[in-house]
Amino acid sequence: MKTYQVSREGYYGEFGGAFVPEILHRCVEELRNAYLNVMESDSFKQEFHSLLRDYVGRPSPLYPAKRLSDKYGCRIYLKREDLNHTGAHKINNAIGQALIARRMGKKRIIAETGAGQHGVAAATVCALMGMECVVYMGKTDVERQHANVQRMKMLGARVVPVTSGNMTLKDATNKAIRDWCCHPSDTYYIIGSTVGPHPYPDMVARLQSVISEEIRKQLLEHEGRDYPDYLIACIGGGSNAAGTIYHYLDDGRVKIVLAEAGGKGIDTPLSAATIHLGLPGVIHGSHTLVMQDEDGQILEPYSISAGLDYPGVGPMHANLARQHRATVLAVNDDEAVRAAFELTRLEGIIPALESAHALGALEKLRFRPDDLVVLTVSGRGDKDMDTYMKEMKSEKQE
Ligand SMILES: *Cc1c(COP(=O)(O)O)cnc(C)c1O
């Protein structure tokens, strides 16, 4: 049977694999041998699900958005990951990986972060579990995302500003990998999305799959059927999207729409639309689509949203696009901002800028009145208020 899930060797079609320096082979092997056994053990499942319920606040609601539905002429449900503790879906993954790390006997946690959301999730979980936490963050991002840096510090994490390259997420990730190389035996690297060497993309997708597990149950309660016609999510590395679609990957009744960050437009140099613009290559241990020039130099991505500003994409998503299982739309900065204001005014929900890209996909699709649409709101917009206020001001002046 054709499947869009990972193969035993860690591949999604031609994408995936584990391309790591010699010194990390053992670490990645160790994790690969451990992760499924740990995740399928009763003790892990019980601890993970208790924390998701009592600490994160799951299940997150599946909210029928009446006024938004009227606007687009279909029936839209919002999966409210914005209501999770720490404000986004990232906490699901951070808790799961910290529990895996503990069961592997690791004492020290490292993480990379761009906008700071994953750093905050990792720091939160380390405080909860009493583990040491070091977060690598590009110096540019440290300056841009000051509030999240403060949160991480208050939570007890050490935030290391990275000054190589453009001083953003890609450089922070390189630095985290280098740290891992120096401390392979006691350190666990919590990657924040469905990227990196196998088994990370599959492990993160499984940890986030609680989202689609809940969607199935909640749709059945609301609608008497457990699948939608459309699933819509934004993609940076791809973890909230992977969680949203996980249980529907091989269900042909469900159309999958992924929104990547168009930036100023895919025909300009300022974009982060990796699936539209990328070519096959290796980034951070995975063979996937990468934004690169003719010499294979990685190009600096741009998006108004710091969480989508990554020059690679998860191998699962590269394959879904290649196989035409998913429709991938590039949603530009202005379209995302407009969609964020629209949701706010129609439903009283201020979404994260990342999630606003998923909302921006709605106007690019043609629905029938009885279409059931589930759209994941990956996070809340508190962290983006400065950007939203700037956009509101410039709109008024026009
Ligand atoms: C980090 C982040 C994203 C992008 O990451 P994915 O791995 O693609 O989900 C999207 N939305 C929010 C709110 C985020 O914090």
Side-chain angles (χ1 to χ4, degrees):
M1 192 194 98
K2 187 177 172 66
T3 178
Y4 296 95
Q5 294 285 6
V6 76
S7 72
R8 269 182 53 102
E9 293 74 33
Y11 280 86
Y12 300 86
E14 72 176 89
F15 301 109
F19 299 83
V20 294
E22 194 59 37
I23 193 164
L24 286 182
H25 266 148
R26 280 231 337 253
C27 296
V28 172
E29 252 327 280
E30 189 190 0
L31 182 59
R32 180 178 160 166
N33 290 330
Y35 85 110
L36 286 178
N37 286 339
V38 170
M39 289 180 70
E40 279 159 17
S41 71
D42 288 338
S43 90
F44 173 87
K45 281 188 195 161
Q46 199 189 0
E47 200 175 358
F48 184 47
H49 287 286
S50 303
L51 284 170
L52 289 182
R53 184 189 63 214
D54 304 330
Y55 188 71
V56 176
R58 303 202 72 93
S60 66
L62 185 70
Y63 164 64
K66 177 74 175 52
R67 279 167 34 91
L68 192 69
S69 298
D70 289 345
K71 168 83 206 270
Y72 289 99
C74 57
R75 292 184 296 143
I76 302 173
Y77 284 87
L78 302 176
K79 184 59 175 159
R80 300 289 309 279
E81 295 300 300
D82 57 310
L83 295 176
N84 292 341
H85 179 45
T86 70
H89 64 292
K90 295 237 167 57
I91 191 80
N92 306 327
N93 169 54
I95 288 183
Q97 285 197 53
L99 291 177
I100 291 169
R102 212 158 62 176
R103 280 166 172 73
M104 291 174 70
K106 308 289 182 182
K107 304 247 151 28
R108 181 172 173 269
I109 297 292
I110 59 172
E112 84 297 334
T113 197
Q117 291 302 106
H118 173 55
V120 168
T124 298
V125 172
C126 288
L128 175 70
M129 300 190 188
M131 293 169 102
E132 182 189 345
C133 184
V134 179
V135 179
Y136 290 95
M137 189 170 186
K139 186 161 166 283
T140 312
D141 291 331
V142 170
E143 284 155 14
R144 283 196 293 201
Q145 307 288 335
H146 204 63
N148 275 341
V149 175
Q150 290 171 334
R151 289 165 83 193
M152 286 183 262
K153 286 185 174 163
M154 182 158 172
L155 287 159
R158 188 156 68 84
V159 180
V160 181
V162 175
T163 54
S164 51
N166 280 58
M167 307 191 248
T168 58
L169 177 60
K170 162 174 68 68
D171 313 293
T173 306
N174 288 335
K175 203 61 190 258
I177 291 173
R178 216 163 305 155
D179 176 313
W180 201 22
C181 289
C182 297
H183 307 91
S185 57
D186 70 334
T187 295
Y188 183 96
Y189 178 17
I190 300 190
I191 293 185
S193 188
T194 41
V195 299
H198 179 66
Y200 278 101
D202 182 50
M203 179 171 59
V204 176
R206 283 170 188 265
L207 293 170
Q208 293 289 3
S209 73
V210 63
I211 299 173
S212 64
E213 200 180 305
E214 289 174 4
I215 291 173
R216 275 205 309 211
K217 280 193 204 130
Q218 291 168 320
L219 264 187
L220 192 61
E221 276 166 27
H222 280 285
E223 294 285 341
R225 68 183 240 204
D226 67 357
Y227 68 96
D229 297 297
Y230 287 86
L231 285 169
I232 306 177
C234 67
I235 35 171
S239 68
N240 86 86
T244 302
I245 64 183
Y246 192 85
H247 287 95
Y248 299 108
L249 271 174
D250 296 322
D251 184 342
R253 298 171 298 184
V254 182
K255 299 180 191 74
I256 296 171
V257 178
L258 305 174
E260 57 178 7
K264 301 287 186 197
I266 56 171
D267 48 359
T268 74
L270 295 174
S271 183
T274 307
I275 291 178
H276 280 85
L277 301 174
L279 295 169
V282 171
I283 184 168
H284 300 136
S286 179
H287 178 73
T288 184
L289 294 172
V290 183
M291 287 174 50
Q292 53 188 303
D293 66 16
E294 300 97 71
D295 302 326
Q297 290 295 319
I298 292 173
L299 293 171
E300 202 55 38
Y302 162 83
S303 163
I304 193 170
S305 140
L308 303 183
D309 203 345
Y310 183 65
V313 66
M316 174 200 277
H317 311 71
N319 184 53
L320 292 174
R322 172 66 53 91
Q323 309 283 339
H324 306 289
R325 173 67 183 99
T327 303
V328 182
L329 301 173
V331 174
N332 295 347
D333 289 359
D334 56 342
E335 296 168 327
V337 169
R338 206 161 58 223
F341 275 87
E342 181 179 271
L343 182 73
T344 304
R345 296 295 169 83
L346 286 178
E347 301 286 352
I349 297 169
I350 302 179
L353 265 168
E354 292 83 5
S355 322
H357 288 72
L359 292 156
L362 288 171
E363 65 169 19
K364 299 177 188 286
L365 297 165
R366 287 283 155 272
F367 300 108
R368 292 191 315 230
D370 59 348
D371 276 338
L372 260 184
V373 178
V374 173
L375 185 151
T376 295
V377 180
S378 52
R380 63 179 87 124
D382 306 29
K383 66 185 178 57
D384 300 312
M385 287 316 294
D386 288 351
T387 310
Y388 285 144
M389 287 306 99
K390 242 183 258 160
E391 294 292 324
M392 214 159 125
K393 233 190 246 161
S394 62
E395 219 161 78
K396 269 193 193 136
Q397 281 161 0
E398 271 165 21

